[in-house]
Amino acid sequence: MTVNLLEFEKQRFVQFCAELGEKPFRARQLMRWIHQSGVGDFDAMTDMAKSLRSVLKRDCEVLPPKVISDHTAGDGTRKWLLDVNAGNAIEAVFIPERTRSTLCISSQAGCALECSFCSTGRQGFNRNLTLGEIIGQLWLANHSLAADGEDARRVTNVVMMGMGEPLANFDNVVAAMQLMLDDNAYGLSRRRVTLSTSGLVPQMDRLGDACPVALAVSLHAPNDELRNQLVPINRKYPLKELMAACLRYIEKAPRDFVTFEYVMLDGVNDSVANARELIRLVSPVPCKINLIPFNPFPNSGYTRSSVPAIERFKEILITAGLIVTVRRTRGDDIDAACGQLAGRVQDKTRRRERRIAETG
Ligand code: SAH
Ligand code: SF4
C-alpha cells in the first residue's frame, strides 16, 4: 500500500527512515524536500541516494486533497475548493497583502457547533480532517504559487479560520501546526500562526501546553443570554469561564493578548448598549477586538450591520481605550469570505442526500 507522506508528523518521518535503515538526518532531508521546498516528486530529491528514492517511489506519495476548483477574486484572494471524499468539500483561502500572505485553513468537513450565523455550522458535521488534509492545504498553496512563478508570495501567515472548529480536532490540528512551526518544514513563527476557536475551554488550556500559538476567540456577544443564541457552545462554557481561560492562555502564549472576533449582525449585537457591555466584559483581558461585518448566505436570517453602525460601535470601543480593527471583506465575489465557505457545494450534497432520502 502507498503511504501518503503528508500524513506524517515529525516523529513519524524519523521512525520511517529508521525502518528503512536510514540515518535520522534523512528524515530531516525528506521533510525539507516535501514541506520546505514543496516537492512531491521523489526523482527531484537529488541529494538522496538513488536506492532510497526508488523505495520512496515504490511505497510513498505526497498527496494533498484533490482540487475541485481554483478561483482568484478581483482583489487577488484565491480560493481552492478541495475534495476530501464521500461528497465532502473543504476550502483553503489565500489572502495576499503588501507585506504578508495569509492562508486560511480548514480543520473539519462541516462543524458540529451550530453557530446560528455561520454557513458551515448550518451544514452540520461530517468529519475531522486528517493531518495530511490539514497540512496538505498549506503544501498545495505553496506548491501552486511556486508552480505559477509566484514563489515570492509564499504563505507567511496561517490562520486556522476556515471550515470547522480546530480545537474539536485537537490532535490533528496540533500535529499540523507543529509542522508549520518546524524549521525543517514551514518555519513559521508562533506569532504568525493563529488559531480561532468558538471557546472550547478545556482544549484552550491543552493548546497552551501543547502548542501555544496566537489565539483568536469568537466572542460575538457581550452577555451569556445573547451568546447562548449565537454561539450555542456558550451554554457549556459560559463567558466567565471563557474569559478566565483567555487569561490563562495569555500566560503561555507567544503574544501578550488575545484577539476577540465579533461578527456585526444588524439589530442583533451592534447597539450602543452592546458596545458598552462588551467593554465591561473584556476589561480584565489584554485583547484586540476584530469586528467582522457579517457575510450573508442564503436563508441565514441575518443582515450585515450598516457601515455607520459598525463605525459607531468601533468608536465607542476605541474611546474606552480598546484596540479595534474592522476586518476587510476579502474575496466575497468568489464566496471566500468568512462563514461562506463551501456553501454551494454543500448545498449540492444536501440536495443529493434529500434525493436519496426521497427515493430510498
Ligand atoms: N470555528 C472557529 C474558526 C472558524 S470560523 C471559530 O468559530 O472561531 C472563523 C471566524 O469567522 C469566526 O470568528 C466565525 O465566528 C466567523 N464567521 C462565521 N460565519 C460568519 C459569517 N457568516 N460572517 C462573518 N463571520 C463569520
Ligand atoms: Fe463552527 Fe466556527 Fe462556524 Fe461556529 S463559527 S459553526 S464554531 S465554524
Side-chain angles (χ1 to χ4, degrees), residues 31-45:
M31 255 175 87
R32 279 206 292 265
W33 274 116
I34 295 171
H35 289 298
Q36 208 175 65
S37 311
V39 169
D41 171 7
F42 299 111
D43 281 329
M45 302 181 179

Side-chain angles (χ1 to χ4, degrees), residues 141-316:
N142 276 340
H143 187 81
S144 310
L145 290 164
D148 295 351
E150 306 218 41
D151 210 22
R153 293 203 317 172
R154 272 168 154 264
V155 175
T156 62
N157 292 57
V158 168
V159 292
M160 299 299 304
M161 291 188 187
M163 292 177 79
E165 166 52 53
L167 292 185
N169 184 12
F170 191 89
D171 291 346
N172 293 341
V173 164
V174 164
M177 293 196 305
Q178 263 150 1
L179 286 174
M180 293 172 199
L181 301 173
D182 197 296
D183 283 338
N184 290 309
Y186 297 90
L188 302 180
S189 88
R190 291 182 188 280
R191 303 155 68 91
R192 288 176 174 269
V193 176
T194 302
L195 182 143
S196 175
T197 179
S198 56
L200 301 189
V201 166
Q203 287 91 331
M204 285 166 66
D205 287 324
R206 280 178 66 203
L207 182 71
D209 295 327
C211 188
V213 291
L215 185 71
V217 174
S218 294
L219 204 51
H220 305 318
N223 59 60
D224 282 320
E225 196 191 347
L226 184 54
R227 196 163 189 269
N228 285 345
Q229 291 168 29
L230 299 178
V231 186
I233 194 68
N234 192 70
R235 292 178 204 150
K236 197 162 175 195
Y237 307 115
L239 285 168
K240 193 159 173 264
E241 287 179 34
L242 181 58
M243 293 297 133
C246 289
L247 281 173
R248 289 195 297 276
Y249 192 86
I250 289 171
E251 291 298 311
K252 308 170 192 164
R255 290 188 182 273
D256 54 6
F257 63 89
V258 295
T259 301
F260 287 124
E261 296 159 287
Y262 195 99
V263 65
M264 297 298 292
L265 301 165
D266 183 33
V268 175
N269 64 355
D270 63 350
S271 70
V272 171
N274 294 144
R276 300 228 161 94
E277 204 174 2
L278 181 61
I279 293 165
R280 280 197 298 281
L281 173 71
V282 303
S283 66
V285 183
C287 66
K288 291 185 181 173
I289 312 271
N290 190 208
L291 302 177
I292 314 176
F294 171 65
N295 292 311
F297 55 90
N299 306 318
S300 75
Y302 293 106
T303 47
R304 179 185 292 181
S305 302
S306 67
V307 173
I310 297 175
E311 279 304 307
R312 180 184 62 187
F313 200 89
K314 177 181 157 190
E315 283 311 315
I316 297 170

Side-chain angles (χ1 to χ4, degrees), residues 28 56 281 321:
R28 286 197 297 277
L56 293 173
L281 173 71

